[in-house]
Amino acid sequence: MADIAKELFPDKEIYMSITDRFQRFERYTQFKSPHRIINLRYFLKPWFRKARVMIHVYDAGTLDLLQLLNKKKHRHYLDKVHVNILNQNQDFMPSARDIMNLKGRVENVSMTLAFNANKDLSFPYLKYSPVHVGAWFPDLEQTPVPYRRKENLCILSPDQSPYRDEIKDKLLAAGIECYDTWPVPFPEFCKIQQKAKWTISFGEGWDGYSSGQFLNGGIGFGVLQPNFTQDYFDFNDLPPFLFKNYEDMNDNILSVIGSLDEESAFETLNYKIVDTINRDPHSNSFDNVRSRWKQFYSSIGWFESPIA
């Protein structure tokens, strides 16, 4: 997001920010990033005096940001701030009532969506309709490694879910090595995906762990969740790598892996899903994401107005 914003607004200041009272770092090492990390608590008032500011805030952090903005020392400048909520996981979004109670004088509130599935939801506190932009990483180089060069390795996403430990124990007992060491620098994670045959997403179900595994030549498993995969898969006719719930996954994951752990079956399914991903107009390719961010900034008038 920061890379795209800097490309679209080359003469403006773009920062990553935190609100922790005790900032201990200015660079983030888990991703390759040239962007400086600043503490929003100390920068807000000087910025408000000079120029309009847009702040992108992740879903679960929305209430904390609104509380910070509505402190007495900031209230005189709130007509200059635009808050864009990054709805990356609808399950983590605060209630509309809580946001309305804290929004105060912040009138310019928009929302961008990581998943097109949420595009028709209603958010009464928004000045603009929610816009699907997706989420991807410009340095994520997809390298489809063929089955014969894959290792019998399964990546387990770090999300906590029912049956997680039981599923891991079953995989290990079946001789499948599990990668479950987090956090890990993102470039290293990409290399692990290239080596692994399998990934299990214990989070959104169809995300960077599962779909990203297909793009790296593997197969990614998950539980279908409508918040993230609406119009993508039919719940009543699921492909073999998606399950209806975690109990279903726990009961059947080994038999599904057994049926796919053969070069022809493995690569036939992989090619089919990669083709589906590539043909999807809502896909998270970097070009698509960049184009949608540009449309978003244009739709709210930020190419015609100063941006800091």
Side-chain angles (χ1 to χ4, degrees):
M1 283 178 53
D3 288 343
I4 291 171
K6 190 62 181 177
E7 179 186 348
L8 296 177
F9 304 101
D11 299 328
K12 308 305 177 184
E13 296 181 53
I14 310 293
Y15 293 98
M16 311 286 280
S17 67
I18 61 172
T19 57
D20 192 299
R21 292 180 182 274
F22 305 103
Q23 183 173 0
R24 298 177 180 87
F25 52 87
E26 291 189 356
R27 299 285 179 184
Y28 189 57
T29 59
Q30 302 289 57
F31 290 83
K32 294 178 181 177
S33 174
H35 304 284
R36 182 186 170 196
I37 297 173
I38 55 113
N39 194 314
L40 201 59
R41 290 177 178 270
Y42 306 132
F43 277 72
L44 275 177
K45 196 170 181 181
W47 273 355
F48 283 175
R49 289 173 176 170
K50 292 189 297 183
R52 289 209 303 156
V53 178
M54 178 180 290
I55 302 173
H56 296 279
V57 60
Y58 71 104
D59 36 39
T62 302
L63 299 184
D64 288 340
L65 175 67
L66 293 177
Q67 287 177 331
L68 178 62
L69 292 178
N70 277 284
K71 287 184 177 295
K72 186 175 181 179
K73 62 182 178 180
H74 299 144
R75 289 176 187 166
H76 296 296
Y77 307 101
L78 291 186
D79 60 331
K80 293 185 177 182
V81 67
H82 182 124
V83 173
N84 181 58
I85 302 172
L86 304 169
N87 184 340
Q88 299 167 299
N89 186 330
Q90 178 60 28
D91 293 343
F92 295 160
M93 280 295 301
S95 71
R97 179 178 180 179
D98 287 343
I99 291 180
M100 292 292 286
N101 286 341
L102 283 173
K103 192 165 78 77
R105 295 175 57 193
V106 182
E107 296 183 3
N108 293 313
V109 181
S110 59
M111 179 184 291
T112 47
L113 306 170
F115 295 93
N116 194 53
N118 297 316
K119 67 182 185 306
D120 296 325
L121 296 180
S122 176
F123 303 92
Y125 47 82
L126 296 180
K127 182 175 181 179
Y128 308 90
S129 298
V131 176
H132 169 244
V133 294
W136 207 246
F137 305 104
D139 61 346
L140 176 55
E141 297 180 3
Q142 308 298 345
T143 306
V145 175
Y147 173 87
R148 64 182 179 275
R149 289 172 46 202
K150 289 282 192 181
E151 298 179 12
N152 197 22
L153 170 66
C154 183
I155 300 169
L156 306 180
S157 81
D159 311 275
Q160 296 302 312
S161 294
Y163 297 101
R164 189 183 194 280
D165 292 340
E166 194 171 340
I167 289 171
K168 180 178 179 180
D169 289 342
K170 285 184 176 181
L171 295 172
L172 292 172
I176 300 171
E177 183 183 357
C178 293
Y179 183 88
D180 195 17
T181 303
W182 310 100
V184 62
F186 190 68
E188 184 177 333
F189 169 71
C190 295
K191 293 178 182 178
I192 297 167
Q193 275 198 314
Q194 290 163 15
K195 292 193 302 182
K197 285 183 182 177
W198 327 99
T199 289
I200 298 178
S201 167
F202 289 102
E204 287 90 341
W206 184 245
D207 53 19
Y209 294 99
S210 47
S211 63
Q213 189 62 30
F214 280 96
L215 295 172
N216 281 290
I219 291 175
F221 300 103
V223 169
L224 183 73
Q225 299 187 49
N227 275 352
F228 311 105
T229 54
Q230 180 181 330
D231 301 329
Y232 214 108
F233 300 107
D234 183 351
F235 185 80
N236 296 311
D237 186 24
L238 292 179
F241 55 87
L242 284 178
F243 301 88
K244 294 186 176 181
N245 51 55
Y246 286 105
E247 184 177 8
D248 180 26
M249 177 187 283
N250 184 47
D251 290 342
N252 296 295
I253 185 70
L254 289 184
S255 61
V256 172
I257 286 177
S259 69
L260 294 172
D261 197 7
E262 180 273 323
E263 185 170 16
S264 177
F266 188 97
E267 293 192 346
T268 296
L269 177 60
N270 175 270
Y271 296 157
K272 177 181 178 181
I273 301 305
V274 170
D275 180 62
T276 300
I277 293 172
N278 289 336
R279 287 188 289 105
D280 178 14
H282 304 298
S283 75
N284 285 338
S285 72
F286 179 63
D287 288 342
N288 282 353
V289 172
R290 181 192 179 282
S291 175
R292 291 195 290 258
W293 273 112
K294 185 175 181 180
Q295 291 172 5
F296 163 74
Y297 286 121
S298 178
S299 70
I300 60 174
W302 277 76
F303 283 117
E304 292 76 30
S305 305
I307 184 172

